[in-house]
Each structure stands twice: as structure tokens, then as C-alpha cells.
Amino acid sequence: MATRKNTRNKINKDGLDPQLIKDIEELEAIKVTDSAKAISEKLEKQASVIQRLYTTDAFMNKMARTGFGQPNLAEGAEYPMTRLSRNYVLFNSMYRGSWIVRKIVDTFPADMLKNWITISSSIEPEAIRRIEKTIRYTKVKEKLKQGLQWGRLYGGAAALILIDGQDDQLDQPLELDNIVPDSFKGLLVFDRWSGIVPGSELITDISDPDFGLPKYYTINASNTQSNAFVQERNNFKVHHSRILRFTGRELPYWEKIQEMYWGESEIEIAYEEIKKRDNTSANLATMIFLANIRVLKMNDLGQLLGSASKQAQENLYNVLSAQDHLMSNMGIYVMDKEDDFAIHNYTFSGLDDLYQSFMLDIAGACEMPVTKLFGREPSGWNSTGESDLVQYYDTVSEKQEAYLMPVIDKLLPVICMSALGAVPDNLEWEFNPLRQISEKDRADLAQSMIQPVLEVYNAGLITKEIALKELKAQSEATGMWTSIDDEFIKRMSEESEKEEEVYSDEEQKLLESQMEGDNINNQEEDESASAGHSGPQEDIPETNDDSQYEVIDSIYNSLQKLNKK
């Protein structure tokens, strides 16, 4: 009664109709012993109260019993809060026994790490090799893959950064300056049920990338894996700067708190669809045994089974067993002339489409195309599966940005300190392309991309420096021109300027020599003309000599050829 009174006071404060409050209090629960009429009346009354309580603008047709709050099959559907991500035993069993579950969990982590990363900073090749050696020696890629897998399976996982010589400083922030060379020893991965528990104290520093997440984690050796590093310390607290987090699907704030700041398992999202597919597959397998049903018709069989003696029934059973034995071994069937035998065949038309629909539902739930999840060839006219792969790789890239990039951003400086003794000032990295093209396609791509650059360069619209920068930018897509760096571009630009100066000198000398030769020729022609006419000279009509302009034209053409070279 006290609870009802408190509820009534709360409802009155909300300003609801007193009659509605009264109707809510008079609602009766449906009992198993109720008649069909009583159940119908109670459902109608509940639907009326719910409609008045929750909404006033939804569609409803009382005569057809359709719409919001009406007693029909559609309105009987519910979405209960299950929180399956907490069912550790169920997900273990599904991961071990279902190849579809294993494919959902393992495929994305494998593809996210398949082509790894490229350090794009201006670091010496020897330094990059040392970083890669540390990554390979400590099996970083393998541990990151485990973290991503358990994060997708259980909704959460974590990895402890192992630094040699700092065993007694795990509850302190990880300072990069305190990491000595060769002290990084790898990662120790825990799933959310294997002994690592987030603390209640949260990070309040808004400049911290982990702002709003737990500040400390407690590792319980009694529940964790049998590892000497853990077993020697029993329970210990770890600062968040030494932890790499791997979570499942993101959840709303209150649900995230319910999951102790982890995420939702990928299997929980696809759980119902997986059950539908598995049930369908099992039923289809059972129907195979019923593809051919053999029917034997016998006179007075019902009377014989109902009123005959036990001995007669045993004799009938022996006869049928002998007939079945003869048919199975010799391919003949012996029966009385009054009896009849027939075989009914079952057709499976339409079942494939039904099975395909369940496969599509699973693929949609786990964000993976059917061709990738089930290994099927693309169907349809002229279908190559190209669009499916493009969509899938876009999804993988999105997950790399959301789940893997923060982890590598946190881990890579630690590896650099251990491998190099310092973190490069311009440390930058990027994911390698997910899709690998063939050598022929790569060459065709490089040819098609370089052709426009050559055309505008030969036309004199861009300089050699700009052309080389364009080739360098194309190296990421084509995999070619990787040896072109900023120093090479600068050197080639300086050489190009020197060549232009040389061409200018040659141009000047060529022009002077041509002009001098023309003057000498003109003087000789004048002298010979005056010597050949000792008598009175006749007036010679003036002519326009264009030989000088022809020489200039030839010089200009030669300069054009030099520029093209």
C-alpha cells in the first residue's frame, strides 16, 4: 500500500488525469486460469490505459485491432534487456563450437592488422628497422590481434604494457623518459573475465585521451591466466597509462556503466540471427532423411494391430522387417497381391532462398558481406563481388580508426623509447592500404597517373620541381617513385636552374656569331658590287633583304629544341 501511495503522489505531481491514475491502479494481471473472454477484456483495458499513458499521436484502429497498444500478435513482441555480454560460458561455447561465431570474431582483427603500418616520418632507415625488430621480437602484432579478438567476443579486453625494471611502479603513470633501451618486453593480454577489473575512480583530466574512463585497473591473480608475472604479485593496481583497452561495440552511457566501462559483444548483436540460421540448417539436414518416404498399404492393417493377438502382431513385425531387409540388400520388395507399395518424393524448392535470407541477416548484423563471411561466390549477372569488397574494406578502415589507432598511438612511443632511446620529434605513421593490387595493375595505374604530369611538364606549364613532387605524392598509391625525397627534389631543382643559365649563355653566343657572320657577308657583297661596276653606276632598285630575320627564326627554333631537351 505504501508503494502504491508513493506512486500516486508522483503521478499527481506529473499532472496526469486522476481518472487515468485510478484506471492504472485497477488493472488486473492475466492469469493462467482466466477464460478467453476474461483475457480479452483485460488486454483491451491494458491497451487503453497504455495508449492514454504513453502517447496521444500514434496510429490505432480498434475495429481492426491494429496499431499502438492493440491486442494483436505484432504488439505482443517485446525487446527484453538480456545483456548477453555477461554470459561468459555461452560465448565460450559458441566460439569453440560455431565456425560462424569464430569467423565473426576473428576476421576483422586479422584484416585490421594484415598489412600493418608504415612510419611516414623522416627517420633513418636503420632506426625504422630497429623499431620493426622490436615489434617482431615482442610479438606485438600477435598480442594486438588477441586483444581485438577478445574485445569483440566478450565486449572488452586489456593489455598490460610490460616494462622491464618497473614491476614496483605499476600503480604510477608510465613516463617515457624512464623507459631505458631494450626494456619493452611486450604485452600481457587479459579478457574482461580473466582477472582485470576497472576501478571506480575516473580520469578527470580533459587533455588525457582516456578522459572519462577508469584511472586504475586491478588485476586479480586468482582469476587470471597462469602467468609468472601475475602469479608472483597476487592482486595489484595498474595505472591506466600502462593499459591498452580493446572494447566491443559502443554503448550508451548508463549501459557502459553497467558493463563496467567495457563494450558490447559482437556475438550479442548477431545472437538471434545465428540461432535462426543454425535451426534452419539443422532442420534442412533432417529433411534430407525424409526425401523418400516408402508407403506400404495392407488390407485390414488397423484391425490386425488393434484386435489381433500379440503373437500375430509379432508375426507382422517380422514380415515387415524381412521385407525391408530384402529391399535394402537385394533391391526387391515382396508383398501380397492385394497390398500396395508407393514412394513419395519430397521437393526442396524454395528452401535455398529461405536459407539465403538468414545468411543475409547474419552478414548484416556483423557488418560483413556474405561473400566474406560464408566464403561464397558472388551471385547475379556480371557480379564480381567488387562492390562487396569495397564496402567491407571501408568498414575495416573505419574500425582501424576507431579501435586500433588509439592503441598504436599509445604504444608506438613506448616502442621507440625502447628501440631508439628517444621519440622522434615528427613521429607520424599511417595504416597501409588494405587491398593489394597485382604488379600489372600497379604498372597500369602508375602509367595512367604519370601521363598527365608529363604532358603539362612538356607543355612548360609546370617546373621540374613540381613534377617531381607530383611523382612523390603518387608513390603512396602506385608503390613506385619511393626513392624520391625532398633532398632529391631540391638537388634536381638546383641543377635545372643551372641548365637554364647554361642555355642562356649558349643562346647569347649563338646569336652573336650569327650576327657577326651576317655583317661580314654583307660587307663582302658590297665590295664585290663596287669593284664590278667601275663605270657610271645605274640606279639599282632597293630590295627588302629578309635573310637577317630568317637567321633569327632559326635561332629561335634551336632554342625551343634545347628547352625541350
Side-chain angles (χ1 to χ4, degrees), residues 25-314:
E25 294 175 346
E26 292 178 353
L27 288 178
E28 299 181 18
I30 298 176
K31 301 179 182 179
V32 180
T33 56
D34 288 344
S35 62
K37 182 179 180 181
I39 293 175
S40 178
E41 292 175 353
K42 291 182 179 180
L43 284 175
E44 290 180 0
K45 189 173 182 179
Q46 291 177 3
S48 176
V49 171
I50 292 174
Q51 190 272 335
R52 292 161 59 196
L53 181 62
Y54 287 102
T55 183
T56 58
D57 59 355
F59 168 77
M60 179 180 61
N61 188 331
K62 289 186 177 181
M63 296 298 294
R65 292 185 178 181
T66 58
F68 180 80
Q70 294 304 302
N72 55 52
L73 294 177
E75 288 298 312
E78 295 181 355
Y79 295 89
M81 182 67 72
T82 58
R83 295 194 177 102
L84 285 177
S85 296
R86 299 182 179 184
N87 198 332
Y88 177 74
V89 177
L90 173 64
F91 288 165
N92 273 345
S93 177
M94 295 181 69
Y95 184 76
R96 290 171 63 96
S98 174
W99 67 269
I100 297 179
V101 172
R102 186 175 285 267
K103 198 82 175 286
I104 293 173
V105 171
D106 296 348
T107 301
F108 272 111
D111 288 337
M112 290 166 67
L113 293 164
K114 179 174 62 176
N115 295 331
W116 193 228
I117 64 173
T118 296
I119 298 177
S120 56
S121 304
S122 300
I123 304 177
E124 293 294 331
E126 177 62 26
I128 294 179
R129 283 193 291 269
R130 292 173 63 182
I131 294 174
E132 293 175 347
K133 181 180 179 181
T134 301
I135 293 174
R136 185 172 60 253
Y137 178 76
T138 55
K139 300 182 179 180
V140 168
K141 292 176 62 175
E142 178 184 343
K143 298 300 182 180
L144 292 179
K145 181 180 178 182
Q146 288 181 8
L148 292 170
Q149 287 175 331
W150 306 151
R152 290 175 59 84
L153 178 60
Y154 302 115
L160 175 63
I161 301 175
L162 300 178
I163 305 297
D164 191 19
Q166 297 190 11
D167 300 353
D168 56 346
Q169 305 174 23
L170 296 178
D171 59 342
Q172 301 298 320
L174 178 59
E175 299 291 344
L176 294 178
D177 295 336
N178 295 335
I179 300 176
V180 299
D182 298 327
S183 60
F184 173 69
K185 300 303 179 183
L187 302 172
L188 186 60
V189 180
F190 307 89
D191 64 68
R192 60 180 293 189
W193 305 113
S194 294
I196 185 166
V197 181
S200 58
E201 184 180 357
L202 303 182
I203 303 171
T204 57
D205 183 6
I206 60 175
S207 62
D208 195 312
D210 295 332
F211 170 72
L213 294 174
K215 188 174 183 179
Y216 295 97
Y217 294 81
T218 301
I219 297 179
N220 186 357
S222 61
N223 295 330
T224 191
Q225 50 192 304
S226 57
N227 185 283
F229 181 86
V230 176
Q231 295 294 340
E232 292 177 357
R233 291 160 181 79
N234 199 4
N235 295 346
F236 55 95
K237 182 188 292 186
V238 182
H239 192 265
H240 73 92
S241 60
R242 301 176 182 271
I243 293 292
L244 303 177
R245 288 173 52 89
F246 305 92
T247 59
R249 296 279 185 98
E250 286 294 325
L251 291 171
Y253 177 71
W254 293 112
E255 284 302 308
K256 182 184 292 187
I257 293 177
Q258 288 290 333
E259 298 295 338
M260 302 183 68
Y261 293 94
W262 300 116
E264 182 182 16
S265 170
E266 293 287 338
I267 307 305
E268 179 175 353
I269 299 170
Y271 179 71
E272 293 296 332
E273 305 304 329
I274 294 174
K275 284 204 307 182
K276 294 176 186 177
R277 182 265 169 196
D278 289 345
N279 285 324
T280 303
S281 179
N283 288 331
L284 290 177
T286 304
M287 293 176 64
I288 299 297
F289 296 100
L290 303 177
N292 294 320
I293 302 177
R294 294 175 292 180
V295 179
L296 175 63
K297 300 179 181 179
M298 300 177 62
N299 291 328
D300 302 328
L301 177 61
Q303 182 178 0
L304 180 60
L305 295 176
S307 60
S309 62
K310 184 177 180 180
Q311 183 63 39
Q313 294 179 1
E314 290 181 357

Side-chain angles (χ1 to χ4, degrees), residues 8-22:
R8 180 182 299 178
N9 293 336
K10 181 179 179 181
I11 295 176
N12 284 332
K13 290 180 181 180
D14 292 339
L16 296 181
D17 184 12
Q19 182 61 41
L20 177 58
I21 300 172
K22 182 178 179 182

